[in-house]
Amino acid sequence: MTAGESSGSVVRRILLGSQLRRLREARGITREAAGYSIRASESKISRMELGRVSFKSRDVEDLLTLYGVTDEAERTALLSLAKEANLTGWWHSYSDVLPGWFQTYIGLEGAASLIRVYEVQFINGLLQTEAYAHAVVERGMKVAAGKAAGGGRSGRPAKVSRADIDRRVALRLERQKLLVSERAPQFKCVLDEAALRRPYGDREVMRGQIQHLIDISERPNVTLQVMPFTFGGHAGESGAFTMLSFPESDLSDVVYLEQLTGALYLDKREEVAQYERAMAELQEDCPNPADSRDLLRGLLQLT
């Protein structure tokens, strides 16, 4: 199975879920009633319609019958979609170190034709060098381990598994292959200058990271801009976010907001529109890609 096929399964799951929702609403059937028909809860129907769970063919068949879908061709198409939606993603082999809530994002990321991101804390994961990623992952895991152990009140640094760190870094490097693949998406990134000046790792790690940004920004599918401190307040005041757009015309854009213990996926048109405007303003207010490269070269000399 190719990465495109496994990533596409997430999109198919979301597409199938949205079609089942439309069919249910068109018949005026509640989620509770739909759940009863397949011996499941209302929340299970909600998760299915959001594309958050896999689909059993029997459940899909029973729901289609309940929703009055009798045309054999339509039933066959939707059941085929359910089968394709259950393909296991390549990232399944990393499930030992991969939070369940992040698996959906990796699938969407791999299926997107356009990825737009704003970062303020650190360099976006798709643009990180191995050394920088290692420093970020190690720091994040130590913080998490310290909180789990009672907030680190002992004053001793929390211990984390070297193997787990390496596995998480390997996963991040595997994701990065997307940007140089045959079906690479357009990737538009705005980095706050804070992300460039906040050190992760030693001086050589930061120098290598900045040089990598200069190099990768030359790729035709990558647009990298830096929001300098000198600009002052800007449209990214609410924090980091990612916007994903897909080639499928009936799949809406998704805004991904990562949190400490989970993530939010926004797809309501009015919510997405606000982030669209924020990203457009950020891109407009930043130096253009060429000037941003010059800014990166200047930082490299100072690092």
Side-chain angles (χ1 to χ4, degrees), residues 24-282:
R24 177 182 60 78
E25 291 175 345
R27 298 283 291 192
I29 297 172
T30 65
R31 289 194 182 96
E32 182 180 8
Y36 182 80
S37 74
I38 62 169
R39 304 153 297 280
S41 64
E42 178 182 354
S43 62
K44 171 68 177 294
I45 295 296
S46 178
R47 292 194 299 273
M48 289 176 66
E49 293 181 351
L50 290 171
R52 303 287 171 79
V53 294
S54 58
F55 295 88
K56 293 180 180 179
S57 294
R58 177 183 172 184
D59 289 345
V60 176
E61 287 185 33
D62 289 347
L63 288 174
L64 293 178
T65 299
L66 178 66
Y67 300 159
V69 179
T70 58
D71 181 78
E72 196 59 35
E74 185 177 3
R75 289 178 67 94
T76 298
L78 290 172
L79 287 169
S80 295
L81 191 59
K83 183 178 180 180
E84 294 169 358
N86 288 331
L87 293 173
T88 300
W90 61 263
W91 53 90
H92 181 72
S93 61
Y94 291 94
S95 58
D96 55 322
V97 295
L98 183 63
W101 51 265
F102 195 57
Q103 295 184 30
T104 297
Y105 174 77
I106 294 181
L108 293 174
E109 178 184 73
S113 56
L114 170 63
I115 302 174
R116 287 168 287 178
V117 302
Y118 168 64
E119 292 283 4
V120 64
Q121 176 70 14
F122 37 63
I123 309 303
N124 183 267
L126 292 181
L127 302 178
Q128 293 177 5
T129 64
E130 182 174 358
Y132 182 93
H134 198 282
V136 170
V137 169
E138 183 173 18
R139 169 62 181 168
M141 291 183 67
K142 283 183 176 179
V143 170
K147 290 179 179 178
R153 288 187 293 269
S154 66
R156 294 190 301 271
K159 292 183 178 180
V160 296
S161 165
R162 179 65 56 180
D164 281 353
I165 293 174
D166 291 343
R167 289 275 290 160
R168 290 172 189 254
V169 171
L171 169 63
R172 191 160 301 182
L173 297 179
E174 190 68 29
R175 286 172 52 208
Q176 292 179 3
K177 294 179 180 179
L178 177 68
L179 290 185
V180 296
S181 67
E182 291 184 2
R183 50 178 300 279
Q186 288 295 312
F187 184 77
K188 300 180 184 296
C189 178
V190 173
L191 288 177
D192 195 282
E193 187 175 342
L196 298 166
R197 291 188 177 274
R198 181 174 293 107
Y200 280 93
D202 59 23
R203 179 173 178 270
E204 287 307 309
V205 170
M206 291 304 298
R207 285 184 59 82
Q209 178 61 69
I210 295 174
Q211 183 61 59
H212 178 64
L213 292 175
I214 294 171
D215 295 339
I216 201 168
S217 70
E218 299 279 5
R219 290 192 59 82
N221 63 310
V222 175
T223 301
L224 178 62
Q225 293 174 266
V226 176
M227 173 57 74
F229 286 148
T230 54
F231 186 82
H234 54 70
E237 60 186 4
S238 62
F241 62 90
T242 298
M243 300 185 65
L244 303 165
S245 302
F246 308 92
E248 292 81 4
S249 59
D250 51 352
L251 188 61
S252 62
D253 289 356
V254 173
V255 175
Y256 171 77
L257 302 173
E258 190 167 313
Q259 302 171 328
L260 285 176
T261 57
L264 290 176
Y265 295 87
L266 308 179
D267 62 357
K268 292 183 179 178
R269 185 172 300 176
E270 60 272 18
E271 293 177 325
V272 172
Q274 290 189 49
Y275 283 90
E276 287 266 10
R277 289 191 292 271
M279 177 57 71
E281 287 185 34
L282 284 167

Side-chain angles (χ1 to χ4, degrees), residues 16-28:
L16 178 58
S18 65
Q19 291 187 49
L20 290 175
R21 184 185 70 247
R22 286 195 291 269
L23 289 169
R24 177 182 60 78
E25 291 175 345
R27 298 283 291 192

